[in-house]
Amino acid sequence: MAKGRPILRSEAMKKGESRAAARGLLRATGFEDDDFDRPLIAVANSFNTIVPGHIHMGPLVAEVKRGIEDAGGKAFEFGIPGICDGIAMGLPGMRYSLPSREIVADATEAMVEAHVADGWVGVTNCDKITPGMLMACGRMDVPSVMLTAGPMMPGEYKGRRLDVISIFEAVGELAAGRIDDDDFREIERRACPGAGSCAGLFTANTMACMTEALGLSVPGCATSHALTETKREMAYETGKLAVELVRKGTRPRDIVDEKSFENAVRVDNAIGGSTNTCLHLIAIAKEFGVALDLDVFDKVSRVTKHIVALRPGGEHFMIDLDEAGGIPGVLHVLMPALHDAKTVTGKSILRIAEEAKVAESNVIRSLDNAYHEEGGIAALRGSLAEEGCVVKQSAVVASMRRFEGPARAFDSEDDATKAMLAGEIMKGDAVVIRYQGPKGAPGMPEMLGPTSILTGLGLGESVALVTDGRFSGGTRGLCVGHVSPEAYVGGALAALRDGDIIRIDLDARDIDVLISEREIKARLKERRMPEQKVGGYLRRYRDQVSSASLGAVLQTSSR
């Protein structure tokens, strides 16, 4: 063995007479003699041809592999599934979206560990794929780096920039007579012009920002757009970096710790990211051995100013954030409050922040010109959510920060949507959609349809929506999700009846139903649960999944 050459864990699979059969099989894939001395780097590729955020990954993966080979490594590639939430939204298949996060994590672990890779690169995008790979990253603690594949450019119609949320909201606008059939068809045709994750700050792009804030992708990666030369250059750099991390013996848990997660939560609040981060960051932190809960999100939110307002909570798009300085620019503004955490590049977060610049102060605002004095996410508790729930408060108009109104309770998203489109929901109502939690649905589907329809109908600033399900990052308005405990396990949501008064106070962080605890308990004894028969993976998921307040992670029995 050459002096100074690292001992590679893949040697257990490649070296010695007893491993001749393994070497023979690897030769069938193209391995040559020299390759058995190189670091073996796996590339987890979530390419598919149905999700816009993934259709362009072929050339990016090619650049990652070229970077690995040029740095002296040997690459092998494997596939990872990816579900498009926008396509599945409102359908029974949406119940598979959040559960697929666990499949992504498990599949990545299985391939990397079974083939004893020395390191790996996650080429990822979209809502559950990125958090699933980050969970695998912390779980395995094998040298790794992420390449998020980049946002889509906005569409355009009649001088208005568009994204996928524009289509969802157009459904309500058409029903309300605010647009005609021709406008509706053109918005559908023009809103999503090509490859990349949807153009606003929805869950996919929020999680890309979290990946960068955690220090697990190269600076600028989160906002670098899908079909740019910059993204291809980053792919090559990411491949080289994976080999470097292996040679240095730098593992994810050497980089990411409790301070890293607090930095990520701070960035999330500063940019007004998706409430889904409360599920995903808690689940990722668990795999890194870090305790993170809703109280941390709320604590950080109260002392973090909201300085970026992208769609749907503002009018800017990811391209605007990229041109303004991206996440490094956000870090630059937040620098006084950040912890000096490590990153995969070897540069610390504070150094990246110090070197960054803000090119457009109307997109990344200064602290003395913030959109809001508090961050984007608020965690609420009360008689309706004893374990907590979340709301994207940066997307709530000031007049709705204190709300009191009668419940309109529905046991399914479909029933609620029909009532909205039939004109049965009035200003001041509190629409409740229950039995949509991790166990109840099962799978905790997103409900972008109802929230967007309310906005399209012109009710987004007068109607509250409360659910034990979850919302897309594309949601705006007083939309309270992740209510825990969920209705399926006997949470107070299951006791609600039409006309019960719901009170929400974002400043006090309260959410209550104005009936007695005794009445709630009596009603729960009499409740009739909707029939939700499931089999296969969803059945196993229902049996094992935790509360949303704990990240909706799969629980294993202890021995």
Side-chain angles (χ1 to χ4, degrees), residues 80 100-111 132 136 139 287 537 554:
I80 287 293
S100 76
R101 183 188 70 183
E102 319 306 308
I103 295 173
V104 169
D106 291 350
T108 304
E109 175 193 359
M111 289 297 291
R139 182 188 302 174
E287 298 288 3
Y537 178 65
L554 297 186

PDB file of all heavy atoms in Angstrom, residues 80 100-111 132 136 139 287 537 554:
ATOM      1  N   ILE A  80     -33.032   6.231  -8.143  1.00  0.00           N
ATOM      2  CA  ILE A  80     -33.847   6.503  -6.961  1.00  0.00           C
ATOM      3  C   ILE A  80     -35.205   6.998  -7.448  1.00  0.00           C
ATOM      4  O   ILE A  80     -35.280   7.829  -8.353  1.00  0.00           O
ATOM      5  CB  ILE A  80     -33.172   7.578  -6.078  1.00  0.00           C
ATOM      6  CG1 ILE A  80     -31.958   7.009  -5.361  1.00  0.00           C
ATOM      7  CG2 ILE A  80     -34.154   8.169  -5.073  1.00  0.00           C
ATOM      8  CD1 ILE A  80     -32.266   5.949  -4.323  1.00  0.00           C
ATOM      9  N   SER A 100     -42.911   8.212   0.433  1.00  0.00           N
ATOM     10  CA  SER A 100     -41.795   7.935  -0.482  1.00  0.00           C
ATOM     11  C   SER A 100     -40.481   8.499   0.038  1.00  0.00           C
ATOM     12  O   SER A 100     -39.406   8.058  -0.372  1.00  0.00           O
ATOM     13  CB  SER A 100     -42.093   8.484  -1.876  1.00  0.00           C
ATOM     14  OG  SER A 100     -41.944   9.897  -1.935  1.00  0.00           O
ATOM     15  N   ARG A 101     -40.554   9.461   0.947  1.00  0.00           N
ATOM     16  CA  ARG A 101     -39.322   9.987   1.565  1.00  0.00           C
ATOM     17  C   ARG A 101     -38.556   8.869   2.252  1.00  0.00           C
ATOM     18  O   ARG A 101     -37.310   8.795   2.154  1.00  0.00           O
ATOM     19  CB  ARG A 101     -39.696  11.074   2.574  1.00  0.00           C
ATOM     20  CG  ARG A 101     -38.524  11.768   3.243  1.00  0.00           C
ATOM     21  CD  ARG A 101     -38.984  12.681   4.367  1.00  0.00           C
ATOM     22  NE  ARG A 101     -39.482  11.927   5.508  1.00  0.00           N
ATOM     23  CZ  ARG A 101     -39.993  12.486   6.612  1.00  0.00           C
ATOM     24  NH1 ARG A 101     -40.088  13.806   6.704  1.00  0.00           N
ATOM     25  NH2 ARG A 101     -40.408  11.729   7.620  1.00  0.00           N
ATOM     26  N   GLU A 102     -39.272   7.992   2.943  1.00  0.00           N
ATOM     27  CA  GLU A 102     -38.623   6.875   3.632  1.00  0.00           C
ATOM     28  C   GLU A 102     -38.070   5.863   2.635  1.00  0.00           C
ATOM     29  O   GLU A 102     -37.022   5.243   2.873  1.00  0.00           O
ATOM     30  CB  GLU A 102     -39.618   6.190   4.578  1.00  0.00           C
ATOM     31  CG  GLU A 102     -40.521   7.126   5.363  1.00  0.00           C
ATOM     32  CD  GLU A 102     -39.771   8.178   6.153  1.00  0.00           C
ATOM     33  OE1 GLU A 102     -38.861   7.810   6.918  1.00  0.00           O
ATOM     34  OE2 GLU A 102     -40.105   9.378   6.009  1.00  0.00           O
ATOM     35  N   ILE A 103     -38.780   5.690   1.510  1.00  0.00           N
ATOM     36  CA  ILE A 103     -38.291   4.777   0.466  1.00  0.00           C
ATOM     37  C   ILE A 103     -36.991   5.298  -0.119  1.00  0.00           C
ATOM     38  O   ILE A 103     -36.032   4.539  -0.345  1.00  0.00           O
ATOM     39  CB  ILE A 103     -39.353   4.604  -0.636  1.00  0.00           C
ATOM     40  CG1 ILE A 103     -40.593   3.910  -0.075  1.00  0.00           C
ATOM     41  CG2 ILE A 103     -38.797   3.816  -1.814  1.00  0.00           C
ATOM     42  CD1 ILE A 103     -41.757   3.838  -1.045  1.00  0.00           C
ATOM     43  N   VAL A 104     -36.925   6.612  -0.373  1.00  0.00           N
ATOM     44  CA  VAL A 104     -35.703   7.223  -0.901  1.00  0.00           C
ATOM     45  C   VAL A 104     -34.537   7.002   0.055  1.00  0.00           C
ATOM     46  O   VAL A 104     -33.438   6.596  -0.352  1.00  0.00           O
ATOM     47  CB  VAL A 104     -35.915   8.726  -1.160  1.00  0.00           C
ATOM     48  CG1 VAL A 104     -34.594   9.431  -1.458  1.00  0.00           C
ATOM     49  CG2 VAL A 104     -36.895   8.937  -2.313  1.00  0.00           C
ATOM     50  N   ALA A 105     -34.769   7.257   1.339  1.00  0.00           N
ATOM     51  CA  ALA A 105     -33.707   7.075   2.324  1.00  0.00           C
ATOM     52  C   ALA A 105     -33.267   5.615   2.396  1.00  0.00           C
ATOM     53  O   ALA A 105     -32.063   5.307   2.409  1.00  0.00           O
ATOM     54  CB  ALA A 105     -34.186   7.552   3.696  1.00  0.00           C
ATOM     55  N   ASP A 106     -34.234   4.702   2.414  1.00  0.00           N
ATOM     56  CA  ASP A 106     -33.908   3.277   2.531  1.00  0.00           C
ATOM     57  C   ASP A 106     -33.198   2.760   1.287  1.00  0.00           C
ATOM     58  O   ASP A 106     -32.243   1.970   1.382  1.00  0.00           O
ATOM     59  CB  ASP A 106     -35.183   2.465   2.768  1.00  0.00           C
ATOM     60  CG  ASP A 106     -35.796   2.710   4.140  1.00  0.00           C
ATOM     61  OD1 ASP A 106     -35.145   3.360   4.983  1.00  0.00           O
ATOM     62  OD2 ASP A 106     -36.939   2.257   4.363  1.00  0.00           O
ATOM     63  N   ALA A 107     -33.672   3.179   0.115  1.00  0.00           N
ATOM     64  CA  ALA A 107     -33.062   2.700  -1.130  1.00  0.00           C
ATOM     65  C   ALA A 107     -31.633   3.205  -1.270  1.00  0.00           C
ATOM     66  O   ALA A 107     -30.739   2.469  -1.717  1.00  0.00           O
ATOM     67  CB  ALA A 107     -33.902   3.146  -2.329  1.00  0.00           C
ATOM     68  N   THR A 108     -31.412   4.458  -0.884  1.00  0.00           N
ATOM     69  CA  THR A 108     -30.051   5.000  -0.938  1.00  0.00           C
ATOM     70  C   THR A 108     -29.137   4.240   0.009  1.00  0.00           C
ATOM     71  O   THR A 108     -28.024   3.835  -0.357  1.00  0.00           O
ATOM     72  CB  THR A 108     -30.063   6.497  -0.578  1.00  0.00           C
ATOM     73  OG1 THR A 108     -30.958   7.195  -1.453  1.00  0.00           O
ATOM     74  CG2 THR A 108     -28.671   7.091  -0.716  1.00  0.00           C
ATOM     75  N   GLU A 109     -29.601   4.032   1.224  1.00  0.00           N
ATOM     76  CA  GLU A 109     -28.824   3.261   2.198  1.00  0.00           C
ATOM     77  C   GLU A 109     -28.511   1.865   1.668  1.00  0.00           C
ATOM     78  O   GLU A 109     -27.359   1.397   1.753  1.00  0.00           O
ATOM     79  CB  GLU A 109     -29.602   3.157   3.506  1.00  0.00           C
ATOM     80  CG  GLU A 109     -28.935   2.275   4.545  1.00  0.00           C
ATOM     81  CD  GLU A 109     -29.843   1.924   5.709  1.00  0.00           C
ATOM     82  OE1 GLU A 109     -30.999   2.368   5.748  1.00  0.00           O
ATOM     83  OE2 GLU A 109     -29.384   1.160   6.588  1.00  0.00           O
ATOM     84  N   ALA A 110     -29.508   1.195   1.114  1.00  0.00           N
ATOM     85  CA  ALA A 110     -29.322  -0.174   0.645  1.00  0.00           C
ATOM     86  C   ALA A 110     -28.246  -0.260  -0.431  1.00  0.00           C
ATOM     87  O   ALA A 110     -27.376  -1.137  -0.395  1.00  0.00           O
ATOM     88  CB  ALA A 110     -30.644  -0.738   0.119  1.00  0.00           C
ATOM     89  N   MET A 111     -28.286   0.657  -1.405  1.00  0.00           N
ATOM     90  CA  MET A 111     -27.336   0.593  -2.520  1.00  0.00           C
ATOM     91  C   MET A 111     -25.923   0.980  -2.099  1.00  0.00           C
ATOM     92  O   MET A 111     -24.942   0.339  -2.507  1.00  0.00           O
ATOM     93  CB  MET A 111     -27.813   1.490  -3.659  1.00  0.00           C
ATOM     94  CG  MET A 111     -29.041   0.966  -4.378  1.00  0.00           C
ATOM     95  SD  MET A 111     -28.762  -0.621  -5.210  1.00  0.00           S
ATOM     96  CE  MET A 111     -27.657  -0.132  -6.525  1.00  0.00           C
ATOM     97  N   GLY A 132     -35.233  12.836   1.681  1.00  0.00           N
ATOM     98  CA  GLY A 132     -34.919  11.419   1.820  1.00  0.00           C
ATOM     99  C   GLY A 132     -33.433  11.153   1.694  1.00  0.00           C
ATOM    100  O   GLY A 132     -32.855  10.374   2.470  1.00  0.00           O
ATOM    101  N   ALA A 136     -30.667   9.770   4.537  1.00  0.00           N
ATOM    102  CA  ALA A 136     -29.684   8.712   4.300  1.00  0.00           C
ATOM    103  C   ALA A 136     -28.277   9.198   4.605  1.00  0.00           C
ATOM    104  O   ALA A 136     -27.438   8.453   5.133  1.00  0.00           O
ATOM    105  CB  ALA A 136     -29.778   8.227   2.848  1.00  0.00           C
ATOM    106  N   ARG A 139     -27.863   9.099   8.338  1.00  0.00           N
ATOM    107  CA  ARG A 139     -27.990   7.735   8.834  1.00  0.00           C
ATOM    108  C   ARG A 139     -26.724   6.925   8.596  1.00  0.00           C
ATOM    109  O   ARG A 139     -26.223   6.245   9.492  1.00  0.00           O
ATOM    110  CB  ARG A 139     -29.179   7.049   8.162  1.00  0.00           C
ATOM    111  CG  ARG A 139     -29.446   5.639   8.635  1.00  0.00           C
ATOM    112  CD  ARG A 139     -30.515   4.977   7.782  1.00  0.00           C
ATOM    113  NE  ARG A 139     -31.781   5.717   7.788  1.00  0.00           N
ATOM    114  CZ  ARG A 139     -32.820   5.407   7.024  1.00  0.00           C
ATOM    115  NH1 ARG A 139     -32.756   4.374   6.190  1.00  0.00           N
ATOM    116  NH2 ARG A 139     -33.930   6.112   7.089  1.00  0.00           N
ATOM    117  N   GLU A 287     -31.843  11.539  12.063  1.00  0.00           N
ATOM    118  CA  GLU A 287     -30.850  10.644  11.457  1.00  0.00           C
ATOM    119  C   GLU A 287     -29.417  11.111  11.744  1.00  0.00           C
ATOM    120  O   GLU A 287     -28.481  10.313  11.706  1.00  0.00           O
ATOM    121  CB  GLU A 287     -31.070  10.551   9.944  1.00  0.00           C
ATOM    122  CG  GLU A 287     -32.423   9.977   9.537  1.00  0.00           C
ATOM    123  CD  GLU A 287     -32.553   8.481   9.796  1.00  0.00           C
ATOM    124  OE1 GLU A 287     -31.616   7.873  10.352  1.00  0.00           O
ATOM    125  OE2 GLU A 287     -33.593   7.908   9.436  1.00  0.00           O
ATOM    126  N   TYR A 537     -47.727  -1.018   0.982  1.00  0.00           N
ATOM    127  CA  TYR A 537     -46.798  -0.132   1.671  1.00  0.00           C
ATOM    128  C   TYR A 537     -47.523   0.856   2.578  1.00  0.00           C
ATOM    129  O   TYR A 537     -47.079   1.140   3.693  1.00  0.00           O
ATOM    130  CB  TYR A 537     -45.931   0.618   0.656  1.00  0.00           C
ATOM    131  CG  TYR A 537     -44.964   1.590   1.301  1.00  0.00           C
ATOM    132  CD1 TYR A 537     -43.939   1.127   2.117  1.00  0.00           C
ATOM    133  CD2 TYR A 537     -45.076   2.959   1.110  1.00  0.00           C
ATOM    134  CE1 TYR A 537     -43.059   2.008   2.729  1.00  0.00           C
ATOM    135  CE2 TYR A 537     -44.207   3.851   1.702  1.00  0.00           C
ATOM    136  CZ  TYR A 537     -43.191   3.368   2.521  1.00  0.00           C
ATOM    137  OH  TYR A 537     -42.327   4.242   3.124  1.00  0.00           O
ATOM    138  N   LEU A 554     -40.760   6.842  10.503  1.00  0.00           N
ATOM    139  CA  LEU A 554     -41.134   5.466  10.817  1.00  0.00           C
ATOM    140  C   LEU A 554     -40.494   5.062  12.134  1.00  0.00           C
ATOM    141  O   LEU A 554     -39.301   5.266  12.351  1.00  0.00           O
ATOM    142  CB  LEU A 554     -40.707   4.524   9.698  1.00  0.00           C
ATOM    143  CG  LEU A 554     -41.375   4.756   8.341  1.00  0.00           C
ATOM    144  CD1 LEU A 554     -40.980   3.662   7.358  1.00  0.00           C
ATOM    145  CD2 LEU A 554     -42.896   4.831   8.465  1.00  0.00           C
TER     146      LEU A 554
END
